[in-house]
Amino acid sequence: MGLRLIPLKIRVLHPGDDLLEAVLEALKEGNLKLRDGDVLAVSSKAVSIAQKRLAKLEDVKPGDEALKLASMYDLEPNFAEIVLREADRVLGGARGALLTLKDGTLTANAGVDQKNAPSGYAVLPPKDPADFSRKIRVEVFKRTGKKVAVMIVDSRVTPLRMGTVGYALAVSGFKPVVDLRFKRDLFGRKVRITRHSVADDLSSAAHLLMGETDERNAVVLIRDAPIDLVDEEFDSSMNIKPEECLFMSSLLKKLEEGKEG
Amino acid sequence: MGLRLIPLKIRVLHPGDDLLEAVLEALKEGNLKLRDGDVLAVSSKAVSIAQKRLAKLEDVKPGDEALKLASMYDLEPNFAEIVLREADRVLGGARGALLTLKDGTLTANAGVDQKNAPSGYAVLPPKDPADFSRKIRVEVFKRTGKKVAVMIVDSRVTPLRMGTVGYALAVSGFKPVVDLRFKRDLFGRKVRITRHSVADDLSSAAHLLMGETDERNAVVLIRDAPIDLVDEEFDSSMNIKPEECLFMSSLLKKLEEGKEG
């Protein structure tokens, strides 16, 4: 009854390790058998480690832009350089972080992170997370016969709000956003603008159990989630364009006004 | 094992109904007994209905500002007027919604919503949600002897992202944000900037089961959540100041540059 989230105690991963193998081991140790419709929520950091997406800080030579940003926002210059390389655009920053655009997503530090990275390294965001999530899903089916979905979970900050929450970097096997715009509400009135980001809500739930420091729950098994299985994967399709975005369109308008005034 | 979320089938609420009574009935019908540490996640809409926070659209006379915003963003003028009255500030808008600041939170339409409202009415955001959540928590203890926490869940949109997710409008009984800044990561390195918004993650999880249209799950029972019970309530303390915010500080800087250039 209801939704269940079970953190899997997977072993500490080393660069290049087989993530799925570690997950299957953890399931076995936990006496858990996958079922059709289960969702495996995997932390983006675990994916990056499996993909060997690490940068050695001392090998990086910061350029002028990195030096400037590092001094403006109190960052290590080498770290700022790595962020610049990963980001599609840097939009600004606050003490300790740069606001970046990467693959249509607004994110802190372009997803580059030193937390839980081996000493002297920064962890880069996963490469092609949608493809990775699909491969895990297909391989799970081959090895267990179960139709699961896979979600890669990262953390984000939101405007004027304290603390990080989880969101879906990529999804394979279910529709991440449910369009309610043509449904009717309790009173039969047509719903006008609401779409529900099922994947981001689910990712937040998983993020809660993954922890942000030393909890080691890199994978969470989600059971009885309200999802519709589809044979597809998603990443940037979960984003909207700036002109459709309540925040960005307001911001863009204010910027134009600022220029005029 | 793990985290469980159980949607409660509470009856359709009418303005002024006793929300806690409806919750206790639903628990009884579901053969569920509260336990210490359980969290009751209540949709903000259910709280508004219980508080009779409704505005009759035809009773509202739109002023000039409302007429202007309504035509700019394709809204009903009466609805725009109600939003203006609830908002502390309107920052902009996109088709169908205004971006507003209310009690330090960035929100669409100042939390005013016509979805699942009785015909001809708009539902206003709850009044003093932290106090309401405390009262529910205290009353649950009086009536059942159980130390639960209570969370009021609303939905929000996030920049450049499709679809709504849940967030905590108010929390009573647990610390909504866990500060990890002085903890150490897996490798013993000090974590620099991360705070984890446990309440927002939990609210997203509950929001998933509340649904956005006719699902009627206005209350979700959350069991075995990773929370620390405290005898306190929170609402605007979950916010940060614009100058500490990665998005807003970047925006403010861009605005200054715009004015100069």
Side-chain angles (χ1 to χ4, degrees), chain B residues 146-185:
Chain B
K146 297 301 172 190
K147 283 185 181 161
V148 303
V150 175
M151 194 168 64
I152 299 178
V153 176
D154 207 344
S155 67
R156 65 178 173 189
V157 288
T158 47
L160 294 189
R161 198 70 173 166
M162 203 182 282
T164 59
V165 293
Y167 81 102
L169 194 60
V171 168
S172 179
F174 71 93
K175 274 182 88 166
V177 181
V178 175
D179 197 332
L180 306 168
R181 284 176 298 172
F182 305 102
K183 279 200 156 189
R184 284 173 188 277
D185 73 6

Side-chain angles (χ1 to χ4, degrees), chain A residues 192, chain B residues 54-71 73-87 96 98 109-110 112-114 119-124:
Chain A
R192 277 189 74 208
Chain B
L54 295 159
K56 197 171 181 177
L57 285 160
E58 66 171 31
D59 290 351
V60 174
K61 199 181 155 344
D64 289 346
E65 183 66 12
L67 289 168
K68 191 184 129 202
L69 291 170
S71 101
Y73 300 116
D74 191 22
L75 297 162
E76 282 179 56
N78 300 25
F79 180 78
E81 177 63 34
I82 298 170
V83 173
L84 271 175
R85 291 179 193 176
E86 288 296 323
L98 299 175
N109 297 329
V112 180
D113 194 1
Q114 286 185 261
S119 183
Y121 287 83
V123 180
L124 308 178

Side-chain angles (χ1 to χ4, degrees), chain B residues 8 10 13 29 44 51 53 65 76 107 131 163 169 177 180 185 190 201 207 211 224:
Chain B
L8 301 181
I10 77 162
L13 291 169
E29 277 169 31
S44 69
Q51 290 180 335
R53 295 271 294 151
E65 183 66 12
E76 282 179 56
T107 166
D131 182 62
L169 194 60
V177 181
L180 306 168
D185 73 6
K190 259 200 214 152
D201 265 351
H207 180 251
D224 298 319

Side-chain angles (χ1 to χ4, degrees), chain A residues 114 116 186 189 201 207, chain B residues 114 116 186 189 195 201 207:
Chain A
Q114 285 185 263
N116 290 328
L186 271 175
R189 186 188 297 118
D201 266 350
H207 180 250
Chain B
Q114 286 185 261
N116 289 328
L186 272 174
R189 186 189 297 119
R195 288 178 288 204
D201 265 351
H207 180 251

Side-chain angles (χ1 to χ4, degrees), chain A residues 177 195-197 200 237-240, chain B residues 158 160-164:
Chain A
V177 181
R195 287 177 288 203
H196 177 191
S197 183
D200 285 344
S237 66
M238 289 182 272
N239 296 328
I240 52 176
Chain B
T158 47
L160 294 189
R161 198 70 173 166
M162 203 182 282
T164 59

Side-chain angles (χ1 to χ4, degrees), chain A residues 97-233:
Chain A
L98 299 174
L99 179 64
T100 58
L101 200 59
K102 184 177 171 67
D103 302 327
T105 304
L106 278 174
T107 167
N109 297 329
V112 180
D113 194 1
Q114 285 185 263
K115 234 186 314 131
N116 290 328
S119 183
Y121 287 85
V123 180
L124 307 178
K127 208 178 162 100
D128 201 343
D131 182 63
F132 190 90
S133 65
R134 185 186 58 79
K135 280 182 183 149
I136 295 273
R137 180 168 69 90
V138 167
E139 194 62 28
V140 165
F141 184 70
K142 270 193 204 158
R143 294 177 63 165
T144 68
K146 297 300 172 191
K147 282 184 181 163
V148 303
V150 176
M151 195 167 64
I152 298 177
V153 176
D154 207 345
S155 67
R156 65 178 173 188
V157 288
T158 49
L160 294 189
R161 198 71 173 165
M162 203 183 281
T164 59
V165 293
Y167 80 103
L169 194 61
V171 168
S172 179
F174 72 93
K175 273 181 89 166
V177 181
V178 175
D179 197 335
L180 307 167
R181 284 176 299 170
F182 305 102
K183 278 200 161 191
R184 285 173 190 276
D185 71 7
L186 271 175
F187 297 88
R189 186 188 297 118
K190 257 198 215 154
V191 173
R192 277 189 74 208
I193 58 159
T194 304
R195 287 177 288 203
H196 177 191
S197 183
V198 171
D200 285 344
D201 266 350
L202 257 189
S203 294
S204 277
H207 180 250
L208 199 65
L209 300 180
M210 285 175 177
E212 283 278 0
T213 48
D214 57 359
E215 293 85 348
R216 296 192 181 181
N217 300 320
V219 182
V220 174
L221 171 64
I222 307 176
R223 187 148 281 172
D224 298 319
I227 53 163
D228 297 317
L229 293 182
V230 292
D231 187 19
E232 236 178 303
E233 48 276 348

Side-chain angles (χ1 to χ4, degrees), chain B residues 138-234:
Chain B
V138 168
E139 193 60 29
V140 164
F141 184 70
K142 271 192 202 155
R143 296 177 64 164
T144 68
K146 297 301 172 190
K147 283 185 181 161
V148 303
V150 175
M151 194 168 64
I152 299 178
V153 176
D154 207 344
S155 67
R156 65 178 173 189
V157 288
T158 47
L160 294 189
R161 198 70 173 166
M162 203 182 282
T164 59
V165 293
Y167 81 102
L169 194 60
V171 168
S172 179
F174 71 93
K175 274 182 88 166
V177 181
V178 175
D179 197 332
L180 306 168
R181 284 176 298 172
F182 305 102
K183 279 200 156 189
R184 284 173 188 277
D185 73 6
L186 272 174
F187 296 89
R189 186 189 297 119
K190 259 200 214 152
V191 173
R192 280 189 71 206
I193 57 160
T194 303
R195 288 178 288 204
H196 177 190
S197 182
V198 171
D200 285 344
D201 265 351
L202 257 189
S203 294
S204 277
H207 180 251
L208 200 65
L209 301 180
M210 286 175 175
E212 285 277 0
T213 49
D214 57 359
E215 294 84 348
R216 295 191 181 179
N217 301 321
V219 182
V220 174
L221 171 65
I222 307 177
R223 188 148 279 173
D224 298 319
I227 53 164
D228 297 317
L229 293 182
V230 292
D231 187 19
E232 235 178 305
E233 48 277 349
F234 309 87

